[in-house]
Amino acid sequence: MSQVATSPAETPQPLVALTEDEQLFRENIRQFADETVRPHVKEMDEKGVFERSLIDQFFQLGIMAIETPEQYGGGGGTFFEAILAVEELSRVDASAGVIVDVQNTLVANAFLRWGTEEQKKKFLGKMATGTVGAYALSEAGSGSDAFALTTKAELKGSDYVLNGRKLWITNGKEAGIFILFATIDPSAGYKGITAFVVEKDFPGFSVGKKEDKLGIRASSTCELILEDCRVPKENVLGEVGKGYKIAIETLNEGRIGIGAQMLGVARGAWEYAVKYAQERKQFGQTISNFQGIQFQIAQMATEIEAVRMMVYNAARMKDAGMNFVKEAAMTKLFASQVAERVSSLCVEIYGGYGFTRDYPVEKYFRDSKIGKIYEGTSNMQLATIAKLVMGGK
Ligand SMILES: Cc1cc2nc3c(=O)[nH]c(=O)nc-3n(C[C@H](O)[C@H](O)[C@H](O)COP(=O)(O)OP(=O)(O)OC[C@H]3O[C@@H](n4cnc5c(N)ncnc54)[C@H](O)[C@@H]3O)c2cc1C
């Protein structure tokens, strides 16, 4: 068998290998999540409200602008680091994970790729120093078929006037900046879709009902109402009529973030279950002595490791400038399946206690469910994967 000789510097690194900076970054976030976020998790879930002081600390830690270049006030980091942050936060609380995920992988990412210099200075600057971002594509009638949206934008003088409603918008309650998709011409289909930057205090903009949800309860999910909302022309992101491209491409990246969120959820639940199994006694011994429990723990660990490889690989591909569309869809699909399966099994390992709110694992199970729904349902991921692996046939 012929082998290509490579110098040590050229030898591809194992997927689990992290640089020293990445290890330090991950350690800081893990510690912050354990010590600062964890004490609030139960109460935030019960109340359905995210503790504002934690969001302020996300900003202080620099995890709300991880990839944003230093010249705009950000950390100048990588997409991979953003993924590590989402994973580590979600291991403790998936709501914390998604707040940071939307900020970095969707909103900041869209500005980085399509913003003008002015927009980057203005909006990325704000998003690095205290302003939360949100990404508003879905509507009551358009979810999987996102480009059937009906929110309308009409050019009047130097402003676009927006009318319509958005639904399910993560960070809706906390956000000051919204990347919001509307159509300038419903008859043009997807070619009318345009991305606008809407600020919370624009006249005609308001935040409507907040959803009461099964999982990620502390993350706000809100309706947005646009009634003759005036948006200056210079707040078009990218080109008029090219919003569909922005939506598709940012969501491709976002899916790796949801994969990381689900990886964190699976890990968090698994860690609790392993600890519990080593404490709970039945038949005069800890249940971890039973091979039936050991095999379940081993199977879950294996699936979590497979997800980790997929998430890290997709994120590294993105940072390397490679085409990662298939890998991102596969990652989100599989990570959400594993998170649901693992967290469900962890409830069983806790027995009856796992079924109560006095123990942490039922929350992981509830939180896992969203992974199969947002940023494209599992069926939509399968459709993308099928198209790519079958070469359009
Ligand atoms: C908690 C939460 C947070 C969210 N955050 C945001 C956000 O920040 N921004 C945003 O824009 N949106 C957000 N969403 C919306 C989310 O992206 C949509 O809910 C999702 O895309 C599914 O759309 P839908 O709910 O309209 O379901 P539908 O599209 O109506 O789907 C219903 C079912 O039909 C299936 N289906 C639909 N079409 C097909 C098809 N062609 N082939 C096979 N099966 C199909 C789906 O897989 C699903 O099982 C959020 C949703 C939730 C619940």
Side-chain angles (χ1 to χ4, degrees):
M1 198 170 88
S2 74
Q3 284 188 331
V4 180
T6 49
S7 73
E10 288 168 337
T11 306
Q13 293 295 307
L15 283 174
V16 282
L18 303 188
T19 65
E20 237 173 79
D21 281 355
E22 287 166 349
Q23 285 176 42
L24 199 64
F25 179 82
R26 181 175 66 176
E27 202 40 56
N28 281 342
I29 308 225
R30 189 173 293 175
Q31 193 181 349
F32 168 77
D34 276 329
E35 291 174 5
T36 312
V37 179
R38 203 183 288 282
H40 294 278
V41 171
K42 191 167 191 299
E43 193 184 345
M44 293 195 302
D45 178 60
E46 277 164 8
K47 289 190 174 159
V49 176
F50 202 85
E51 171 69 35
R52 177 69 219 196
S53 67
L54 288 181
I55 299 181
D56 296 338
Q57 290 179 77
F58 293 168
F59 281 103
Q60 284 156 20
L61 255 182
I63 55 175
M64 294 298 262
I66 295 170
E67 268 190 282
T68 300
E70 286 167 14
Q71 73 204 80
Y72 308 119
T78 59
F79 184 77
F80 187 80
E81 284 173 345
I83 289 309
L84 284 180
V86 173
E87 178 194 347
E88 289 305 325
L89 288 170
S90 303
R91 169 181 160 264
V92 170
D93 182 31
S95 292
V98 78
I99 291 171
V100 169
D101 178 65
V102 168
Q103 179 89 354
N104 285 281
T105 73
L106 293 182
V107 186
N109 224 335
F111 280 120
L112 283 172
R113 287 199 56 191
W114 288 281
T116 60
E117 190 49 37
E118 283 291 285
Q119 289 171 337
K120 284 184 195 169
K121 262 194 212 137
K122 184 169 173 189
F123 299 118
L124 286 176
K126 284 188 182 183
M127 285 179 58
T129 51
T131 303
V132 175
Y135 185 87
L137 176 64
S138 304
E139 298 181 1
S142 62
S144 301
D145 188 10
F147 300 144
L149 62 83
T150 59
T151 295
K152 206 163 175 313
E154 256 182 288
L155 187 58
K156 290 191 178 163
S158 59
D159 292 339
Y160 278 93
V161 177
L162 270 57
N163 279 289
R165 279 169 189 239
K166 293 285 167 187
L167 201 62
W168 313 116
I169 307 310
T170 299
N171 293 350
K173 190 162 153 275
E174 298 83 10
I177 292 173
F178 299 78
I179 294 185
L180 190 145
F181 296 84
T183 176
I184 50 149
D185 178 7
S187 69
Y190 73 92
K191 289 185 178 159
I193 312 272
T194 304
F196 295 90
V197 185
V198 177
E199 293 192 74
K200 192 182 186 158
D201 57 1
F202 281 2
F205 176 83
S206 58
V207 178
K209 179 174 166 258
K210 179 171 155 288
E211 303 297 336
D212 186 8
K213 308 192 296 295
L214 171 75
I216 56 164
R217 289 177 47 77
S219 154
S220 69
T221 310
C222 302
E223 182 185 31
L224 307 180
I225 302 164
L226 300 123
E227 287 172 331
D228 287 332
C229 173
R230 297 195 83 88
V231 179
K233 243 186 348 193
E234 61 268 20
N235 278 27
V236 168
L237 183 67
E239 285 173 54
V240 173
K242 291 281 170 64
Y244 70 94
K245 191 171 155 58
I246 296 179
I248 289 172
E249 294 188 14
T250 30
L251 285 171
N252 282 338
E253 294 168 12
R255 277 171 197 143
I256 308 173
I258 303 306
Q261 184 197 30
M262 290 297 115
L263 169 60
V265 166
R267 273 182 57 213
W270 182 88
E271 286 173 16
Y272 271 118
V274 171
K275 192 159 172 282
Y276 184 80
Q278 288 166 338
E279 288 165 2
R280 173 70 175 169
K281 285 193 173 149
Q282 289 292 282
F283 301 96
Q285 53 191 310
T286 58
I287 59 169
S288 61
N289 274 346
F290 302 126
Q291 196 180 52
I293 296 280
Q294 289 171 6
F295 281 10
Q296 288 176 327
I297 287 171
Q299 179 68 36
M300 289 190 285
T302 306
E303 292 190 22
I304 290 170
E305 193 62 8
V307 168
R308 187 200 307 275
M309 296 303 97
M310 292 180 84
V311 171
Y312 288 9
N313 186 49
R316 294 281 194 215
M317 286 176 79
K318 147 85 174 92
D319 278 332
M322 296 166 78
N323 183 332
F324 58 86
V325 176
K326 183 184 74 185
E327 285 75 10
M330 287 177 165
T331 297
K332 178 182 181 287
L333 175 78
F334 191 62
S336 58
Q337 290 171 348
V338 167
E340 188 184 295
R341 199 155 53 231
V342 164
S343 57
S344 172
L345 197 47
C346 290
V347 170
E348 292 170 39
I349 287 179
Y350 267 73
Y353 299 102
F355 203 61
T356 71
R357 299 216 164 176
D358 294 335
Y359 289 82
V361 279
E362 61 83 33
K363 175 179 176 291
Y364 285 96
F365 183 42
R366 287 187 283 110
D367 286 349
S368 74
K369 199 69 216 176
I370 192 58
K372 291 184 169 181
I373 298 171
Y374 58 14
E375 298 201 27
T377 64
S378 288
N379 274 357
M380 300 322 288
Q381 306 310 319
L382 287 166
T384 301
I385 297 162
K387 211 184 298 165
L388 293 170
V389 298
M390 294 169 72
K393 289 184 187 70

